[in-house]
């Protein structure tokens, strides 16, 4: 999927190439960039699967199966009460359909433009006194009958078929990446998920968090609540101590008459029954992101 996205980005950079003379260059550059990102994602998924004890780690290196495997390693966080591997199955299926149709689309484009059977249509606009000419479409020129299918693909597949398949894939990818980054990068899952869907760079984010231990997002929130509460208690104890010292130095009438009572009867911890696991880490550090340092 990312291969075609990168190829389109490169193609857009060569906006003056209206006759697609360098179509092969778009595909070569797209393939090289995709290969780099693919390796990053495969290493990230394999590393996570090996550390967390998931089976079939080799899925991380197989096209389409690696998309499914993202859902497998994200099983600690569900999507609308559905297991992420089922969302991943749908995303992998949509990706496979998109890639198959995308190959047909680029084959048709190569046959049409390489044969010189397409002539660009231009339109002009005036901006600040300057006249700008840009391509609005293409007309068939001397098109042989055996390439009518290619012209139909070029004219309709992108807007009427690939668009909807890509939309389904993007929606499923949002849910899939949210679940993955909630598991392995809880504090930044929104940022990583959005950027990973809008741009073909999710592999970089996956590689960056590959050493983080997977966790359930609800448990992460409880741990943060406990840390904040402990910090608040520590703040209150230090604050009351300083206030009492001030009262002792400047006269008893300004001391806190309830300080001793608060020390003898500290308030109960409202999160005492939650997250006992996090208590073993030591509550006095004051760092709310201690558990992310792996």
């Amino acid at each position: 999927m990312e291969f075609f996205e990168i190829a389109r980005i490169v193609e857009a950079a060569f906006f003056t190439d209206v006759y697609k003379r360098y179509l092969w260059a778009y595909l070569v550059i797209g393939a090289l960039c995709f290969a780099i990102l693919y390796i990053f994602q495969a290493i990230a998924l394999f590393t996570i699967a090996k550390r967390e004890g998931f089976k079939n780690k080799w899925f991380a290196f197989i096209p389409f199966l690696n998309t499914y495997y993202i859902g497998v390693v994200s099983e600690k966080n569900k999507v609308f009460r559905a297991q992420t591997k089922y969302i991943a199955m749908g995303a992998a299926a949509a990706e496979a359909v998109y890639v198959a149709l995308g190959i047909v689309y680029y084959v048709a484009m190569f046959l049409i433009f390489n044969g010189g059977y397409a002539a660009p249509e231009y339109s002009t606009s005036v901006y600040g006194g300057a006249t700008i000419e840009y391509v609005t479409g293409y007309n068939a020129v001397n098109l042989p009958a055996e390439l009518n299918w290619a012209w139909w693909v070029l004219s309709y597949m992108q807007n009427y078929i690939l668009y909807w398949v890509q939309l389904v894939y993007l929606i499923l990818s949002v849910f899939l990446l949210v679940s993955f980054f909630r598991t392995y990068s809880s504090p930044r899952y929104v940022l990583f998920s959005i950027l990973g869907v809008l741009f073909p760079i999710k592999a970089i984010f996956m590689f960056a968090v590959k050493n983080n231990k997977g966790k359930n997002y609800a448990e992460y929130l409880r741990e943060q609540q406990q840390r904040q509460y402990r910090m608040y208690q520590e703040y209150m104890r230090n604050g009351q101590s300083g206030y009492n010292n001030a009262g002792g130095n400047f006269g008893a009438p300004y001391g806190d008459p309830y300080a001793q009572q608060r020390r003898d009867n500290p308030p109960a911890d409202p999160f005492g029954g939650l997250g006992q696991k996090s208590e073993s880490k030591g509550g006095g550090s004051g760092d709310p992101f201690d558990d992310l340092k792996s």
Side-chain angles (χ1 to χ4, degrees):
M1 189 77 172
E2 284 84 359
F3 167 74
F4 295 109
E5 294 181 30
I6 297 171
R8 282 198 297 270
I9 293 173
V10 177
E11 181 181 352
F14 290 83
F15 62 93
T16 57
D17 183 27
V18 296
Y19 290 99
K20 311 298 181 186
R21 297 184 181 92
Y22 303 106
L23 180 61
W24 62 270
Y26 311 153
L27 300 179
V28 169
I29 296 174
L32 292 176
C33 295
F34 172 74
I36 295 172
L37 294 173
Y38 191 89
I39 292 172
F40 272 95
Q41 178 175 309
I43 293 174
L45 290 176
F46 185 85
T47 301
I48 290 172
K50 183 177 181 180
R51 185 188 64 250
E52 301 287 335
F54 290 103
K55 298 179 180 179
N56 301 319
K57 294 183 288 294
W58 57 273
F59 279 15
F61 297 93
I62 308 301
F64 311 124
L65 287 180
N66 58 2
T67 299
Y68 164 73
Y69 209 57
I70 295 175
V72 173
V73 301
S74 307
E75 65 178 8
K76 291 184 178 180
N77 289 281
K78 295 183 178 182
V79 178
F80 298 118
R81 298 184 180 181
Q83 294 185 10
T84 53
K85 65 180 181 180
Y86 298 127
I87 302 295
M89 283 182 185
E95 183 182 31
V97 172
Y98 187 90
V99 169
L101 295 178
I103 292 173
V104 174
Y105 178 80
Y106 273 96
V107 168
M109 182 183 293
F110 179 81
L111 292 174
I112 294 296
F113 286 99
N114 190 58
Y117 302 124
E121 284 184 333
Y122 293 93
S123 182
T124 57
S125 298
V126 178
Y127 295 96
T131 301
I132 299 177
E133 192 175 57
Y134 55 93
V135 177
T136 57
Y138 292 89
N139 289 320
V141 177
N142 301 320
L143 182 70
E146 61 269 20
L147 290 181
N148 284 336
W149 69 270
W151 185 259
W152 183 92
V153 167
L154 196 64
S155 302
Y156 298 104
M157 181 174 285
Q158 178 66 41
N159 295 329
Y160 297 99
I161 300 178
L162 286 176
Y163 172 81
W164 292 106
V165 176
Q166 184 181 29
L167 182 61
V168 172
Y169 173 78
L170 289 178
I171 292 174
L172 294 175
S173 292
V174 169
F175 295 138
L176 186 59
L177 292 184
V178 164
S179 180
F180 177 85
F181 288 117
R182 272 188 169 185
T183 304
Y184 298 102
S185 184
S186 300
R188 304 171 187 85
Y189 82 90
V190 174
L191 175 65
F192 288 172
S193 299
I194 292 176
L195 293 179
V197 169
L198 294 180
F199 306 100
I201 54 176
K202 71 175 188 292
I204 297 176
F205 297 135
M206 289 182 176
F207 188 83
V209 303
K210 70 182 187 303
N211 294 321
N212 291 354
K213 184 178 180 180
K215 62 179 63 179
N216 179 273
Y217 188 68
E219 293 178 359
Y220 164 77
L221 292 179
R222 286 194 290 268
E223 290 177 4
Q224 298 308 304
Q225 289 173 338
Q226 289 178 345
R227 285 192 177 89
Q228 293 295 331
Y229 181 71
R230 289 196 298 270
M231 292 169 63
Y232 170 76
Q233 285 184 314
E234 187 68 21
Y235 170 79
M236 291 300 294
R237 284 194 295 269
N238 293 337
Q240 292 300 338
S241 176
Y243 183 77
N244 291 336
N245 290 336
N249 292 333
F250 296 101
Y254 300 98
D256 181 3
Y258 303 105
Q260 185 63 40
Q261 180 180 350
R262 271 192 283 266
R263 284 194 294 269
D264 295 339
N265 301 286
D269 182 357
F271 305 106
L274 302 175
Q276 294 297 327
K277 178 180 178 180
S278 67
E279 290 291 336
S280 63
K281 299 180 181 178
S285 66
D287 184 355
F289 302 108
D290 241 357
D291 61 318
L292 300 179
K293 298 176 181 178
S294 55

